């Protein structure tokens, strides 16, 4: 199913593991699905100049970001044989070890979900105006760069 | 004309604000950037993209929109 | 981390969504992880000659299967930069819509998890002696064939 | 020598058992299969692989193991 209007992909704070479990449970009534593939982005406690990152604070150009998420979604449904797709991204503070990105695709066939999930995640990293401020334990910060 | 400019991430730090309205009499994105870089010299050394009406545009694009966003490198996920 | 001895990958019956959520939660203390990728195989209610499949009953040559799962695990740790890997496969009855395979890989970097997960799932399908009996609502059956 | 033979999936249906011990005096996997196919003619039309000591082997392999498994196409996941 594709939605015609951009919906809000952002969630305030970290994405809870229970929420992910419940999302999986909701798909068990869809018996045409044979394969799910889930990507989770987790905040790493990278050490920079001896100081570990304790959290990332995410901000976004929200309207443009939701439009881009929508475009990525539509393009993925166009390219791949998908039954469902869900994307959630955090805004605000997400601590090291917590989850900041949850992408969930489902299809009758496994080959489709592998291709689709990698496509969607790479598109999100490249196309969506979200900005991560990496905060150290001493309250200094640096701006996250995607590689 | 009046243009609403939004700044994000590092660029909001550099300009010390998230949004402002400026009166702009030029035509191209490059001319607007000249104005902003005069106002905020630290912008000159930064890597950023410009979005007009939520689409990325090149510096040769004509300014038609009321909302321009100055965006540092994307780092979602 | 790699284990030196094959462990039992099989679980009796379907894999619960809560179990998956809890597995994700357990990884939030591992702050070197930046990306998780999860594959879930779900039993499809395919219709054959007008009859929908209501469940799959899985059997396996268990000792050989656990050895093969172990070999796949070791090979994946060798090939890819992974922090963790978990594989669970159902035995016995799994109803349409329920989950029969759960593969979970984690790494500092996303590129690694995409490559690793697809490798592991394809290897499981090709190398592990597990057999699915597709059961129709009228209690007739056919033997599952992987494609 | 006595060999333990295990049958799985469709092949356990065809032979109507999951395991049996047979006395085998030959040398190669192919000879053992001749014996089994005489005993269970329906095996001839089936697609299967043979594992000796939990490793797949070709029909030209010498039988050295005590445990032989007759495996239909794998269909996990």
């Amino acid at each position: 199913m594709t939605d015609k209007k951009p919906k809000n992909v952002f969630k305030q704070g970290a994405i809870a593991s229970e929420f992910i479990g419940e999302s999986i449970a909701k798909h068990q009534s869809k018996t045409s699905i044979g394969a799910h593939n889930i990507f989770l982005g987790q905040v790493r406690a990278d050490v920079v100049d001896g100081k570990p990152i304790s959290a990332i604070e995410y901000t976004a150009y929200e309207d443009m970001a939701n439009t881009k998420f929508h475009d990525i979604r539509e393009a993925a449904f166009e390219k791949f044989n998908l039954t469902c797709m869900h994307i959630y991204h955090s805004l605000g503070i997400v601590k090291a070890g917590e989850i900041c990105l949850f992408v969930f695709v489902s299809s009758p066939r496994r080959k489709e979900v592998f291709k689709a999930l990698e496509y969607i995640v790479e598109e999100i990293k490249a196309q969506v105006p979200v900005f991560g401020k990496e905060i150290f334990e001493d309250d200094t910060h640096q701006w996250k760069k995607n590689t | 004309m009046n243009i609403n400019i939004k700044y994000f991430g590092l660029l909001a730090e550099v300009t010390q604000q998230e949004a402002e309205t400026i009166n702009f009499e030029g035509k191209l994105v490059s001319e607007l950037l000249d104005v902003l870089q005069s106002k905020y010299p630290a912008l000159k050394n930064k890597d950023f993209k410009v979005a007009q009406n939520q689409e990325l545009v090149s510096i040769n694009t004509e300014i038609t929109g009321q909302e321009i966003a100055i965006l540092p490198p994307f780092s979602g996920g």
Side-chain angles (χ1 to χ4, degrees), chain A, chain B:
Chain A
M1 298 148 280
T2 66
D3 300 329
K4 287 302 158 209
K5 261 179 37 182
K7 54 180 188 177
N8 182 23
V9 160
F10 291 107
K11 287 179 80 77
Q12 202 60 41
I15 296 162
S17 57
E18 293 82 3
F19 177 79
I20 298 162
E22 286 159 19
S23 299
I24 294 165
K26 280 183 193 157
H27 288 76
Q28 304 208 321
S29 58
K30 300 196 177 176
T31 57
S32 66
I33 292 173
H36 303 288
N37 199 352
I38 293 171
F39 179 85
L40 303 174
Q42 183 166 301
V43 173
R44 279 198 315 274
D46 283 355
V47 175
V48 182
D49 297 336
K51 298 188 296 184
I53 290 170
S54 62
I56 295 180
E57 182 177 14
Y58 285 103
T59 53
Y61 183 13
E62 288 186 52
D63 288 346
M64 179 176 166
N66 278 315
T67 301
K68 290 291 170 193
F69 279 123
H70 180 75
D71 294 347
I72 293 167
R73 183 183 164 81
E74 294 292 310
F77 271 113
E78 192 73 31
K79 280 177 196 291
F80 308 105
N81 174 24
L82 297 178
T83 311
C84 298
M85 179 191 326
H86 303 278
I87 305 174
Y88 300 93
H89 197 297
S90 294
L91 280 185
I93 296 281
V94 182
K95 290 187 221 138
E98 292 183 330
I99 289 163
C100 57
L101 174 60
F102 170 27
V103 184
F104 185 0
V105 295
S106 310
S107 169
R109 303 278 165 194
R110 74 182 181 282
K111 307 266 184 207
E112 295 294 307
V113 294
F114 290 127
K115 286 185 291 181
L117 189 69
E118 185 164 7
Y119 170 82
I120 294 164
V121 172
E122 294 302 328
E123 286 289 290
I124 291 171
K125 298 266 182 184
Q127 308 291 346
V128 181
V130 173
F131 314 103
K133 182 177 170 179
E134 297 174 325
I135 301 170
F136 298 102
E137 277 167 20
D138 63 3
D139 276 344
T140 58
H141 70 266
Q142 68 180 17
W143 290 90
K144 179 169 182 272
K145 290 196 175 90
N146 280 353
T147 51
Chain B
M1 71 182 154
N2 280 337
I3 301 176
N4 298 313
I5 317 237
K6 295 186 169 206
Y7 303 100
F8 291 90
L10 173 63
L11 305 176
E13 283 187 349
V14 165
T15 62
Q16 298 191 288
Q17 58 196 341
E18 295 187 345
E20 68 177 327
T21 301
I22 70 162
N23 189 273
F24 174 65
E25 298 304 335
K27 189 176 164 196
L28 302 180
V29 169
S30 59
E31 295 168 53
L32 177 62
L33 292 181
D34 288 341
V35 171
L36 298 179
Q37 286 172 340
S38 306
K39 197 168 171 188
Y40 309 106
L43 273 184
K44 282 179 192 159
N45 310 316
K46 303 303 176 197
D47 180 15
F48 60 82
K49 291 175 175 171
V50 178
Q52 172 165 259
N53 298 333
Q54 302 179 26
E55 286 295 335
L56 296 181
V57 290
S58 80
I59 58 169
N60 300 317
T61 305
E62 203 169 319
I63 300 242
T64 56
Q66 302 284 294
E67 184 172 299
I68 300 292
I70 312 294
L71 304 167
F74 301 170
S75 56

